[in-house]
């Protein structure tokens, strides 16, 4: 069984992430979307909120599971018997960091391969940070996040 992991902060999940999830799910027997706890990043949503949003968004997609993890991705992959890490690549600016992470992960777990899926054109400039910035000031985010969680994100982030 080919298991892949799609890690990220997902703070919150965007249409860019969702597109990668749908595309990656078709390539493997199972795709585990994992909210990685990054203590150096100040998050807006709690781990539980992020997991819950991802679960709602991916409910109808077969083969997708949502989880969270504190620790090294290479270690998590070993625990889950995953062979591949999936990453989405937006602009060239993502590339250097992601390439470095891929090399580090392979060193930590030689059986782990990283594959990159290119972001769809319309999501090239979409990030969780942009969603948060716009939502805070009550701007339109409907084209940025899955419909099912749009209202919750808007209400949760809007400065009152
Ligand atoms: P962000 O950079 O938005 O905070 P994450 O850390 O949650 O995102 O990203 C998790 C993964 O999703 C990374 O591989 C990242 O490159 C990818 N990703 C983020 N936004 C997009 C997008 N708009 N299109 C495709 N992939 C994306």
């Amino acid at each position: 069984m080919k298991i892949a992991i799609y890690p990220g902060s997902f703070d919150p999940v965007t249409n860019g992430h969702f597109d990668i999830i749908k595309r990656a799910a078709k390539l493997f027997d199972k795709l585990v979307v994992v909210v990685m706890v990054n203590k150096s990043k100040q998050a807006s949503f709690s781990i539980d909120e992020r997991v819950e949003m991802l679960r709602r968004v991916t409910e109808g997609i077969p083969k997708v599971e949502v989880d969270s993890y504190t620790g090294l991705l290479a270690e998590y992959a070993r625990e889950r018997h995953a062979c591949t890490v999936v990453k989405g690549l937006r602009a060239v600016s993502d590339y250097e960091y992601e390439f470095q992470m891929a090399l580090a992960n392979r060193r930590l777990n030689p059986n782990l391969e990283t594959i990159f899926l290119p972001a769809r054109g319309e999501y090239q400039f979409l990030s969780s940070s942009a969603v948060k910035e716009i939502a805070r000031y009550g701007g339109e985010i409907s084209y940025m996040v899955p419909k099912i969680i749009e209202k919750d994100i808007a209400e949760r982030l809007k400065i009152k």
Side-chain angles (χ1 to χ4, degrees), residues 1-158:
M1 177 145 133
K2 289 234 177 285
I3 303 174
I5 291 175
Y6 177 39
S9 313
F10 305 108
D11 185 42
V13 55
T14 67
N15 278 335
H17 297 132
F18 187 41
D19 180 57
I20 297 288
I21 293 171
K22 286 186 285 189
R23 287 160 60 197
K26 290 187 195 147
L27 305 175
F28 298 93
D29 299 313
K30 184 193 265 191
L31 179 73
V32 185
V33 183
V34 58
V35 177
M36 296 299 291
V37 183
N38 183 344
K39 297 226 163 83
S40 61
K41 253 192 191 174
Q42 182 76 37
S44 299
F45 293 91
S46 71
I47 301 293
D48 288 350
E49 283 176 310
R50 286 181 262 164
V51 165
E52 198 261 338
M53 280 191 278
L54 275 165
R55 290 215 169 109
R56 277 163 66 198
V57 164
T58 58
E59 212 183 328
I61 312 174
K63 304 191 288 190
V64 174
E65 183 190 318
V66 180
D67 196 5
S68 63
Y69 189 71
T70 313
L72 289 174
L73 180 64
E75 214 34 67
Y76 181 73
R78 213 188 307 270
E79 280 173 26
R80 297 302 308 256
H81 305 287
C83 56
T84 309
V85 174
V86 174
K87 303 255 53 195
L89 269 194
R90 284 165 295 187
V92 185
S93 52
D94 274 346
Y95 179 82
E96 205 169 302
Y97 174 75
E98 295 295 356
F99 196 77
Q100 196 179 31
M101 290 306 290
L103 292 181
N105 281 328
R106 196 162 46 199
R107 194 167 275 257
L108 292 164
N109 179 347
N111 296 319
L112 196 58
E113 208 49 85
T114 300
I115 64 162
F116 297 111
L117 295 182
R120 224 173 260 291
E122 61 265 46
Y123 304 139
Q124 219 34 259
F125 297 99
L126 180 50
S127 67
S128 297
S129 329
V131 170
K132 288 186 274 191
E133 192 62 24
I134 293 169
R136 255 180 220 127
Y137 300 104
E140 176 71 46
I141 55 162
S142 61
Y143 64 102
M144 300 175 111
V145 297
K147 184 127 206 64
I148 192 166
I149 55 169
E150 178 194 337
K151 208 160 151 257
D152 289 348
I153 293 174
E155 278 171 12
R156 172 78 164 61
L157 292 177
K158 191 162 180 197

